[in-house]
Amino acid sequence: MIKLIAFDLDNVLIDGEVIDEMAKLTGVEEEISKITSQAMEGKIDFGTALKQRVSLLKGASVEDINKVMLEIPLMEGAKDSVKELKKRGYKIATITGSFDCIAQRMKDELDLDYVYSNTLQEEDGVLTGEVTGPLVDGSKKEILLELMKLEKISAEECAAVGDGANDVSMLEEAGLGIAFNAKPVLKEIADVIVEKKDLKELLEIFDEGSEKASKKAEEVPKESFTELLSKKKDLEKTLKELTTKRDKLNDEAKVFRQERDELNSQIRGNLDNALKFRDERDQINQEVKKYKKLRDEAHQAYKKMEWTSGRREAVQIEDEIKRLEKTIETRVLDIRKENELVKKVTDLRKKLQGMQEDEESRSEALKHKEVSEGYHAKVVELSDQAQETHEKMLEYFRNIDEIRSQADATHQKFIETRENANKVHEEVKATFGKIRKANKGMDRVKAKERNAEDEIVRKKNSEEKEKAEEIYRKFLEGKKVSTEELLLLQKHNIV
């Protein structure tokens, strides 16, 4: 039968994390909350996490902290539940790694029978950043064992309620372990899981006469100790196989991840080269654009100078001569008309022969032409370079597409392998749970055997005592006592 219930404090009896509330006073909420979360999930040792967090509170006002402690709300149903449980005859304790400034308030408000907590050190009204107490380096299991000795009860007569990794030892020791709104690490080892954030849910477990709780806590497995031991060994063998399989999958996933990362590194390298050639191409194209402009400007200057040097008029005369000669050749003309056209052509030829170009203008025009042709050659050369650079850029982009396809395939293998490893890990955790239950079953079988042995001893002692008292009465009446009978009287402190 359950006689004592040990509660965690933060997020169980109160709705909040005490040290996180304190952190708001010194502006270190984020740092402390991160450490708290890691500790509750079992990622770092609770004692180390506690010292790290308390050190961040150094300099906080004790007066301000005490005010904050008064504002932290009780968990839903805490007051009614504890009151009812005490009415039903249970002893109620809180075993917390939190601090006496809040634990004492809970003792007074909830009328708790026992309170175990730590103490924040202070000097001149401010915190020193240090903490002392039984749960700085000690475990909740050790405190629960002390309580069991104090109350003269067994583990089967204790229940423990918690929510985080630092409650594991307490729940494993107690005959009945309850995970209340708990982290996965605690749910794995709990006998009962309560998801709803309302402590009144516990009243259904610890009902009148504690029949449900006693049944759960004192339930002895049907298997014998030998059967449970054999089952445990089989489970340990399965655990080893699953662990090996999980580790192998994790190693494979690690290889796939490394291959993927190497491929992604190659992608980045190819991309860097592609972008380098793209920038180089764009710079060359800017040069092409510049030389095209210079070429066109030189060509326009050449055309302009060519016409202003007299060449334009000469071309016009040549065109007129050609037109007249064609007319003479193709048309039937009278002799007078034909002579007129022939004379006109002769005059035009004389005029053409008599024309002299402006050599200076002509020379300058040719210079513009040469410059224009030079710029054009540069345009062609740079355009070829730009095209070559563009092809190199495209080659790297094609490499990227090919490598990305490989990286995606490798990433998919990594995801699938990791998921398989996670599935096996879940089996590992489930097997761990079964082993813990087998251990608990073995402990209960041993406890039952010890209780049976104790009952035999108690019965034997009772019979011996009755016999000793009868011998003592006869001794008082004057009957002689044998050495064996005298030893029996001494054993039971009758003489």
Side-chain angles (χ1 to χ4, degrees):
M1 178 179 288
I2 298 295
K3 295 180 180 179
L4 180 140
I5 308 171
F7 286 87
D8 181 25
L9 181 64
D10 292 26
N11 294 309
V12 178
L13 288 178
I14 60 173
D15 192 1
E17 193 76 32
V18 167
I19 200 164
D20 287 352
E21 295 302 316
M22 291 180 176
K24 295 175 182 177
L25 296 174
T26 53
V28 290
E29 304 101 305
E30 187 174 341
E31 296 94 323
I32 283 184
S33 182
K34 183 178 180 181
I35 299 172
T36 299
S37 178
Q38 290 175 332
M40 293 299 288
E41 292 171 4
K43 294 180 180 179
I44 57 176
D45 172 70
F46 180 79
T48 301
L50 180 63
K51 292 173 185 176
Q52 289 177 353
R53 290 178 292 172
V54 171
S55 68
L56 293 170
L57 297 174
K58 185 177 181 180
S61 166
V62 174
E63 182 180 354
D64 291 342
I65 282 177
N66 289 334
K67 288 179 182 177
V68 170
M69 294 304 98
L70 294 174
E71 296 171 358
I72 296 178
L74 292 172
M75 180 60 70
E76 178 72 24
K79 203 159 192 174
D80 293 339
S81 299
V82 172
K83 183 178 179 181
E84 179 61 27
L85 289 171
K86 286 180 67 66
K87 181 180 177 182
R88 295 178 185 180
Y90 296 101
K91 290 291 182 71
I92 307 295
T94 183
I95 303 175
T96 175
S98 197
F99 315 110
D100 52 9
C101 53
I102 184 68
Q104 189 58 46
R105 175 194 156 196
M106 292 303 102
K107 187 177 190 310
D108 296 338
E109 287 192 28
L110 301 177
D111 190 25
L112 304 180
D113 297 292
Y114 298 100
V115 170
Y116 293 87
S117 60
N118 293 318
T119 302
L120 293 169
Q121 297 301 298
E122 58 181 86
E123 187 175 328
D124 298 328
V126 296
L127 298 184
T128 65
E130 297 178 348
V131 59
T132 58
L135 287 153
V136 175
D137 296 310
S139 70
K140 294 192 176 185
K141 173 184 175 179
E142 293 169 347
I143 301 298
L144 185 60
L145 288 171
E146 285 184 22
L147 262 176
M148 288 160 52
K149 288 180 181 178
L150 190 62
E151 285 288 324
K152 298 179 181 178
I153 57 177
S154 65
E156 285 70 30
E157 295 173 300
C158 294
V161 185
D163 73 314
N166 64 320
D167 298 311
V168 169
S169 66
M170 180 170 70
L171 264 68
E172 286 182 331
E173 181 62 28
L176 177 64
I178 301 172
F180 178 80
N181 188 38
K183 299 291 187 296
V185 68
L186 197 64
K187 291 180 181 179
E188 290 175 16
I189 60 97
D191 298 306
V192 178
I193 296 174
V194 177
E195 296 287 5
K196 189 176 179 182
K197 286 183 67 174
D198 187 345
L199 286 174
K200 290 195 291 293
E201 294 288 308
L202 301 183
L203 296 179
E204 294 186 11
I205 300 170
F206 301 101
D207 65 348
E208 292 287 356
S210 67
E211 293 176 1
K212 290 185 182 178
S214 298
K215 182 179 179 182
K216 186 70 180 178
E218 296 176 356
E219 178 183 314
V220 178
K222 294 178 181 179
E223 298 100 327
S224 66
F225 183 87
T226 304
E227 289 172 332
L228 285 167
L229 182 60
S230 175
K231 183 178 181 180
K232 178 186 174 183
K233 287 180 178 178
D234 290 340
L235 286 168
E236 286 174 340
K237 182 180 177 182
T238 300
L239 178 65
K240 186 176 180 180
E241 292 171 353
L242 288 171
T243 302
T244 301
K245 183 179 179 181
R246 178 200 63 191
D247 293 345
K248 183 180 178 182
L249 286 167
N250 280 329
D251 289 341
E252 290 177 4
K254 184 178 180 181
V255 171
F256 285 131
R257 184 182 64 197
Q258 290 173 340
E259 289 179 3
R260 178 203 65 191
D261 293 344
E262 288 172 2
L263 289 167
N264 283 333
S265 179
Q266 291 179 30
I267 288 174
R268 287 191 292 272
N270 277 271
L271 180 60
D272 289 342
N273 286 327
L275 294 178
K276 182 186 75 174
F277 281 114
R278 184 198 65 183
D279 293 341
E280 185 178 335
R281 178 205 64 187
D282 292 346
Q283 289 175 0
I284 294 172
N285 281 332
Q286 287 297 319
E287 289 291 301
V288 169
K289 186 177 179 181
K290 180 182 78 174
Y291 281 109
K292 276 185 177 180
K293 183 179 179 183
L294 292 171
R295 178 198 64 186
D296 293 344
E297 289 173 350
H299 184 70
Q300 289 298 321
Y302 159 67
K303 295 296 290 181
K304 182 178 180 182
M305 291 303 296
E306 185 181 43
W307 289 112
T308 57
S309 65
R311 179 62 181 165
R312 184 175 184 179
E313 186 178 356
V315 170
Q316 289 175 343
I317 292 173
E318 288 174 352
D319 289 343
E320 181 64 14
I321 291 171
K322 289 177 183 178
R323 187 183 68 78
L324 292 173
E325 287 178 341
K326 187 175 182 180
T327 299
I328 294 170
E329 291 173 3
T330 59
R331 292 180 64 180
V332 179
L333 303 170
D334 57 49
I335 191 64
R336 185 178 61 79
K337 183 66 175 178
E338 184 175 343
N339 289 336
E340 288 178 358
L341 292 177
V342 170
K343 184 177 183 304
K344 192 171 183 180
V345 168
T346 301
D347 293 341
L348 287 171
R349 286 189 185 282
K350 287 179 181 179
K351 184 177 179 181
L352 184 62
Q353 289 175 358
M355 290 181 64
Q356 291 183 352
E357 294 183 357
D358 183 347
E359 291 300 327
E360 186 178 341
S361 297
R362 178 65 176 166
S363 176
E364 188 176 349
L366 290 175
K367 286 180 181 178
H368 284 303
K369 183 179 181 182
E370 288 176 4
V371 170
S372 175
E373 289 173 350
Y375 285 145
H376 181 69
K378 192 69 175 176
V379 167
V380 172
E381 178 188 347
L382 291 172
S383 294
D384 289 342
Q385 289 181 18
Q387 183 61 34
E388 183 180 345
T389 307
H390 180 71
E391 290 298 329
K392 290 179 180 178
M393 178 196 74
L394 292 179
E395 181 180 352
Y396 280 112
F397 275 124
R398 284 191 289 269
N399 288 343
I400 288 171
D401 290 339
E402 183 179 343
I403 296 170
R404 181 176 285 115
S405 177
Q406 295 176 29
D408 290 344
T410 305
H411 177 67
Q412 186 58 38
K413 290 178 182 177
F414 162 68
I415 294 297
E416 291 172 358
T417 307
R418 187 178 62 179
E419 287 176 350
N420 289 335
N422 289 339
K423 289 178 183 177
V424 177
H425 182 62
E426 291 302 317
E427 293 182 54
V428 167
K429 291 196 295 184
T431 306
F432 262 124
K434 291 176 182 178
I435 290 173
R436 281 191 290 264
K437 286 183 179 178
N439 283 333
K440 247 184 178 179
M442 290 163 64
D443 289 343
R444 286 171 182 165
V445 170
K446 285 182 179 179
K448 185 180 180 183
E449 291 172 353
R450 284 196 302 270
N451 290 338
E453 290 171 0
D454 291 344
E455 183 60 30
I456 292 171
V457 171
R458 282 195 295 271
K459 187 175 180 181
K460 181 181 178 182
N461 285 337
S462 178
E463 291 173 351
E464 285 183 348
K465 190 173 182 180
E466 288 179 4
K467 183 178 179 182
E469 289 173 347
E470 179 63 25
I471 292 169
Y472 184 65
R473 282 195 298 272
K474 290 181 178 179
F475 170 72
L476 294 177
E477 293 173 358
K479 183 180 178 181
K480 290 184 178 181
V481 178
S482 68
T483 302
E484 182 181 348
E485 290 174 330
L486 180 61
L487 290 173
L488 188 61
L489 290 173
Q490 290 174 341
K491 179 181 178 180
H492 293 281
N493 296 317
I494 294 176
V495 294

